[in-house]
Amino acid sequence: ELKVEQNPLFLSMQEGKNYTIYCNYSTTSDRLYWYRQDPGKSLESLFVLLSNGAVKQEGRLMASLDTKARLSTLHITAAVHDLSATYFCAVVYGGTSYGKLTFGQGTILTVHP
Amino acid sequence: ETGVTQTPRHLVMGMTNKKSLKCEQHLGHNAMYWYKQSAKKPLELMFVYSLEERVENNSVPSRFSPECPNSSHLFLHLHTLQPEDSALYLCASSQDLGAEPLNEQFFGPGTRLTVL
């Protein structure tokens, strides 16, 4: 059974600071997704990482994937209040043609002035 | 309408009621999904339909019954639910079989279900 673990689960940051969220998964996969969820809202796709060493950046967020270590990171640079949300990583498993995703528990990020 | 839509957005029902959740995707995708999001638990995949056939049923109790009449519509029929079934139910869709990036799922806004 695939397990996906994120840490930390809760992250309180000051504006302007940097931090990293980690996503570990237990079995081989070459596709990993990061999603953002605002309170009461749905999930918004942030990044799709498809191969070992993949790095993607959008604004103050940068995601990377190390398939050998079964680890993805989501790095936040110079945090701003608008980044406050819950962030999920999700990993594809099962070798199916459709997307069978297992999600991490989510990291609740709060950015303070 | 664009993306993935879900109705109703909020639903309160008694344990003896029967209700249905509806999902519609306007993205031309060929796979649709139901997820359950409970407080303090990761998102749980419930059902997957690929090309209108159910391909996954993750040990979901029979009081939840999905239906996919065509590739754009997905229903979740509910009956004799329990209070622990209260959760946010999310629908998603993706384009599989050769699309890039493969299997990226797009989510609807969800239905917040409360079972009394």
Side-chain angles (χ1 to χ4, degrees), chain A residues 31 33 35 37 40-48 50 88 92-93 96-105, chain B residues 9 31 33 35 37 42-43 45 48 50 55-56 58 88 90 94 96-97 100-105 107-109:
Chain A
R31 279 176 280 159
Y33 303 79
Y35 287 89
Q37 186 178 34
K41 300 286 181 67
S42 189
L43 276 74
E44 173 193 350
S45 179
L46 292 175
F47 299 108
V48 181
L50 296 175
F88 294 93
V92 170
Y93 71 103
T96 58
S97 62
Y98 50 89
K100 195 167 165 178
L101 293 180
T102 297
F103 281 80
Q105 312 97 308
Chain B
R9 295 294 308 279
Y33 311 77
Y35 288 89
Q37 187 176 32
L43 268 83
L45 179 64
V48 181
S50 179
V55 292
E56 290 285 339
N58 279 0
L88 181 67
L90 291 163
S94 68
D96 302 327
L97 302 173
E100 289 295 335
L102 191 63
N103 303 142
E104 183 179 14
Q105 292 183 22
F107 285 80

Side-chain angles (χ1 to χ4, degrees), chain B:
Chain B
E1 293 277 18
T2 59
V4 182
T5 58
Q6 289 185 244
T7 55
R9 295 294 308 279
H10 300 272
L11 178 62
V12 179
M13 58 187 288
M15 289 192 285
T16 58
N17 292 157
K18 288 185 182 181
K19 296 285 184 185
S20 296
L21 309 185
K22 179 183 174 183
C23 175
E24 185 173 358
Q25 59 96 0
H26 309 267
L27 300 167
H29 290 166
N30 57 18
M32 296 187 77
Y33 311 77
W34 279 117
Y35 288 89
K36 176 182 178 182
Q37 187 176 32
S38 308
K40 299 179 184 177
K41 289 179 77 173
L43 268 83
E44 300 171 74
L45 179 64
M46 299 175 72
F47 301 104
V48 181
Y49 277 81
S50 179
L51 300 173
E52 299 162 38
E53 278 194 43
R54 192 192 311 179
V55 292
E56 290 285 339
N57 177 347
N58 279 0
S59 304
V60 180
S62 60
R63 57 186 184 269
F64 295 91
S65 174
E67 178 190 1
C68 186
N70 55 61
S71 60
S72 299
H73 293 87
L74 184 65
F75 294 89
L76 188 62
H77 304 298
L78 316 171
H79 65 97
T80 58
L81 294 192
Q82 305 297 311
E84 60 263 29
D85 296 321
S86 299
L88 181 67
Y89 288 85
L90 291 163
C91 173
S93 70
S94 68
Q95 180 63 22
D96 302 327
L97 302 173
E100 289 295 335
L102 191 63
N103 303 142
E104 183 179 14
Q105 292 183 22
F106 294 83
F107 285 80
T111 295
R112 174 69 62 186
L113 174 67
T114 303
V115 182
L116 302 175

Side-chain angles (χ1 to χ4, degrees), chain A residues 13-49:
Chain A
M13 296 176 66
Q14 269 193 306
E15 280 189 329
K17 298 290 188 184
N18 305 333
Y19 211 86
T20 300
I21 299 171
Y22 297 89
C23 174
N24 289 92
Y25 53 98
S26 61
T27 60
T28 302
S29 175
D30 59 2
R31 279 176 280 159
L32 188 140
Y33 303 79
W34 283 97
Y35 287 89
R36 167 183 171 144
Q37 186 178 34
D38 291 296
K41 300 286 181 67
S42 189
L43 276 74
E44 173 193 350
S45 179
L46 292 175
F47 299 108
V48 181
L49 302 170

